[in-house]
Amino acid sequence: MEIDLEGLRVRLYRQLVDEGRVATSAQTAAEEGITAAEAADAFRALAANRHIVLDEGGDIVLAHPFATRDFGFSVKSDRVLWWGGCAWDSFAIPHLVPGASPVLVATTCPNCGTAHAWNVSSAEPPAGDQVAHFLVPIAHVWDDVVHACESQRIFCDERCVEEWLRTNALHPGVVFDLETLWRLASDWYSGRLDRGYRRREPVEAAEYFRGAGLTGPFWGS
């Protein structure tokens, strides 16, 4: 049976938008009237095109900007609670989901455990002196996308970033403020909930990053 992969992708994303959860491969097989093998193949095809990320069992762990487990961020609208896939994704949700803005984004500092929360809207960046730190350069995010997302976090300040890097024996990535994070997130996923969505090519992505005020080798420019 030939499966409409783009239709399936949109249905999975719409379920995440509406419910904050997504069907497993087995549930999708039953819902779509296809075999388990066909559903698994469809999930793998979507993953190969970087529309979703699968866990070891073949089910969705990331469908950017949404996650199906805790990546350090909760995102709450007045009707749905989502897991955000990272700092970038969490700030993107109110821009992507119609009617969601503003949302309450909550996290903890990876270094000291201090709790942080912001009302994030599609209209303007949230107030706050905290900083975002991204560890993995953009060109290498898909080498291990789960690790890359887990390491895109928000810290109390640069001191906490430095202590966390030292404690974990990690080389620094890039640090920037919440306003820049908000600009980065604002239009990155535009169109993802609709048929015909196309991911940006590297040159287009670098141009987008420049528009958000992010340049240099880390960002592919």
Side-chain angles (χ1 to χ4, degrees):
M1 177 179 178
E2 186 174 347
I3 299 171
D4 176 6
L5 286 177
E6 180 64 356
L8 175 60
R9 182 192 70 79
V10 171
R11 284 194 294 278
L12 292 170
Y13 268 87
R14 286 292 177 179
Q15 184 182 26
L16 280 161
V17 166
D18 293 339
E19 303 176 26
R21 56 170 292 278
V22 71
T24 65
S25 178
Q27 290 168 337
T28 298
E31 292 169 0
E32 298 291 322
I34 58 180
T35 68
E38 287 172 330
D41 286 344
F43 272 36
R44 284 192 290 267
L46 290 173
N49 288 318
R50 298 182 177 177
H51 293 305
I52 58 175
V53 179
L54 303 179
D55 62 20
E56 293 181 356
D59 290 318
I60 297 170
V61 65
L62 285 165
H64 300 294
F66 309 103
T68 62
R69 66 163 174 81
D70 185 3
F71 276 74
F73 292 87
S74 63
V75 182
K76 180 185 177 298
S77 74
D78 60 357
R79 60 184 183 84
V80 182
L81 178 63
W82 298 281
W83 292 120
C86 58
W88 183 351
D89 285 352
S90 299
F91 273 46
I93 287 174
H95 297 276
L96 177 66
V97 177
S101 176
V103 298
L104 179 67
V105 175
T107 190
T108 56
C109 174
N111 179 61
C112 68
T114 297
H116 297 290
W118 309 268
N119 288 313
V120 182
S121 80
S122 59
E124 60 184 0
D129 296 327
Q130 299 88 353
V131 297
H133 176 265
F134 286 16
L135 184 67
V136 179
I138 292 300
H140 296 287
V141 163
W142 284 92
D143 295 352
D144 184 345
V145 67
V146 170
H147 166 67
C149 289
E150 288 175 331
S151 60
Q152 294 181 355
R153 298 295 302 272
I154 299 177
F155 293 75
C156 298
D157 49 34
E158 292 196 42
R159 179 187 59 79
C160 270
V161 174
E162 292 166 0
E163 288 183 1
W164 180 78
L165 291 168
R166 185 168 55 252
T167 298
N168 292 280
L170 296 169
H171 294 291
V174 293
V175 176
F176 47 97
D177 60 21
L178 295 185
E179 182 175 349
T180 303
L181 176 64
W182 183 88
R183 290 198 304 270
L184 172 65
S186 61
D187 289 316
W188 181 248
Y189 293 116
S190 292
R192 176 151 277 196
L193 303 182
D194 303 318
R195 293 185 72 99
Y197 172 78
R198 184 179 66 84
R199 298 177 67 253
R200 289 180 178 84
E201 297 297 328
V203 172
E204 296 173 298
E207 182 178 355
Y208 178 88
F209 298 146
R210 283 194 294 273
L214 297 163
T215 60
F218 187 97
W219 300 100
S221 64

